[in-house]
Amino acid sequence: MNASPMAAPPAGARADWTIDQAWERYGAAEHAVWTTLYQRQAKMLAGRACDAFMRGLEALDLRRGGIPNFETMNLELRRLTGWSVVAVPGLLPDAMFFEHLANRRFPAGRFIRDGAHLDYLQEPDVFHDVFGHVPMLTDPTFADYMQAYGQGGLRAGQLSHLHHLARLYWYTVEFGLMQTGEGLRIYGAGIVSSRAESIFALDDPSPNRLAFDLERVMRTPYRIDDFQQAYFVIPSLDALLAATLQDFAPIYARLEMASDIPIDAVLPTDTAFTRGTQAYAKSRLVGAAP
Ligand code: PHE
Ligand code: CO
């Protein structure tokens, strides 16, 4: 789990937990892992990821080959939306993470996954953090949303409702889907950076795909160990930003009285794009009774 808010940064990190990316220290094998992952995903995401993501990928020129140099990438990112990427040694204390977002800095891991385990990740690496998250940060609306989320995180921490706000992050920033004229599209970083989930999230009959509703999302637990059982679909990035501009304090107060919603539920009040079979999730219940 994340370190306590008062924890000192690890040895070698600055007070704000950042480190140098030390781009010149990556070896050829590490660059090759990026290139393999990049080529695999970029091809598959055409027609699956939303336009904002594809535009961002293009604008940042992340296919020069090899792991991007944050310094070079930040020149363009700063010009587009005022965001920049900073390298960090691993997961940050919540307050430090929010502080960076509130100042339009996205903390990214510096290491890259092992070439023998391209699909297996315990902790976010530079491919997830940069390929997954940074293209969306070139979109002005999403850029504002992420900054507001950082500010909201600092407040939610004081109000002891971080677990509710974390669900919003999970079901939007990490696993969000969007409705478009061409059908559902992906904008969540956890999906676009995963080959298998890029297919599962859009095409598999198993998960529920439900219209985004702020309070509903905050009442829904999520899975960190496997594909999601529910995805939430926003009508547009503008609608997402508009829905989160309100003061969350009254919502948090209501949530104190409200129970969590089972992860696989479709409620009478839900608008369902897909009523999932949940077949995949059931198949993964090892040793469960039939
Ligand atoms: N409006 C939220 C609040 O009052 C802040 C927030 C904005 C949270 C956007 C998440 C996303 O706390
Ligand atoms: Co992420």
Side-chain angles (χ1 to χ4, degrees):
M1 254 332 274
N2 289 3
S4 89
M6 301 314 281
R14 302 180 188 94
D16 68 356
W17 286 63
T18 62
I19 55 178
D20 287 332
Q21 184 193 13
W23 185 81
E24 57 295 334
R25 272 196 255 156
Y26 290 118
E30 292 172 302
H31 285 303
V33 170
W34 173 282
T35 305
T36 302
L37 289 167
Y38 183 96
Q39 286 170 353
R40 232 169 62 161
Q41 282 311 97
K43 212 180 303 159
M44 185 202 332
L45 290 174
R48 291 184 175 273
C50 69
D51 287 346
F53 179 89
M54 296 310 284
R55 268 200 306 271
L57 209 50
E58 195 65 34
L60 292 170
D61 195 14
L62 296 181
R63 63 161 148 243
R64 257 184 277 245
I67 299 166
N69 186 328
F70 292 179
E71 235 173 89
T72 319
M73 180 175 70
N74 282 340
L75 292 175
E76 187 60 15
L77 185 55
R78 271 203 202 91
R79 195 183 70 74
L80 287 167
T81 56
W83 273 81
S84 61
V85 174
V86 291
V88 293
L91 290 177
L92 304 188
D94 292 326
M96 191 57 73
F97 178 66
F98 296 139
E99 186 71 35
H100 281 296
L101 296 187
N103 288 285
R104 293 199 175 228
R105 290 187 302 266
F106 189 77
R110 163 173 84 175
F111 78 100
I112 191 147
R113 70 196 71 181
D114 188 297
H117 301 100
L118 287 184
D119 298 304
Y120 175 76
L121 259 201
Q122 237 173 353
E123 239 194 286
D125 70 344
V126 66
F127 185 75
H128 168 80
D129 281 337
V130 172
F131 181 93
H133 285 279
V134 180
M136 289 303 292
L137 291 172
T138 65
D139 180 273
T141 306
F142 192 83
D144 287 351
Y145 173 66
M146 283 289 274
Q147 178 179 23
Y149 186 92
Q151 294 161 342
L154 294 168
R155 283 186 77 206
Q158 288 156 4
L159 299 170
S160 305
H161 278 274
L162 266 190
H163 58 297
H164 287 129
L165 192 68
R167 290 168 175 174
L168 176 63
Y169 191 89
W170 193 264
Y171 282 119
T172 60
V173 177
E174 294 291 356
F175 291 96
L177 298 181
M178 185 189 300
Q179 188 184 11
T180 78
E182 281 102 45
L184 299 188
R185 290 289 185 270
I186 307 163
Y187 71 95
I191 310 177
V192 291
S193 62
S194 155
R195 171 159 73 171
E197 198 150 0
S198 297
I199 297 168
F200 181 88
L202 288 183
D203 296 345
D204 202 280
S206 187
N208 298 326
R209 298 181 184 86
L210 309 173
F212 176 86
D213 175 90
L214 183 64
E215 276 183 64
R216 204 285 184 209
V217 166
M218 287 190 178
R219 290 175 61 196
T220 312
Y222 56 81
R223 304 196 56 142
I224 57 166
D225 58 332
D226 209 331
F227 298 146
Q228 300 307 304
Q229 291 182 247
Y231 297 92
F232 290 94
V233 181
I234 57 169
S236 66
L237 294 172
D238 285 326
L240 174 62
L241 182 61
T244 51
L245 281 180
Q246 61 182 305
D247 179 4
F248 284 9
I251 298 180
Y252 294 147
R254 276 201 294 281
L255 290 174
E256 309 232 347
M257 309 290 143
S259 54
D260 280 356
I261 298 168
I263 197 164
D264 57 355
V266 179
L267 305 179
T269 43
D270 285 330
T271 302
F273 292 82
T274 312
R275 282 173 185 274
T277 61
Q278 298 297 331
Y280 174 80
K282 285 177 200 151
S283 78
R284 303 278 286 182
L285 291 172
V286 181

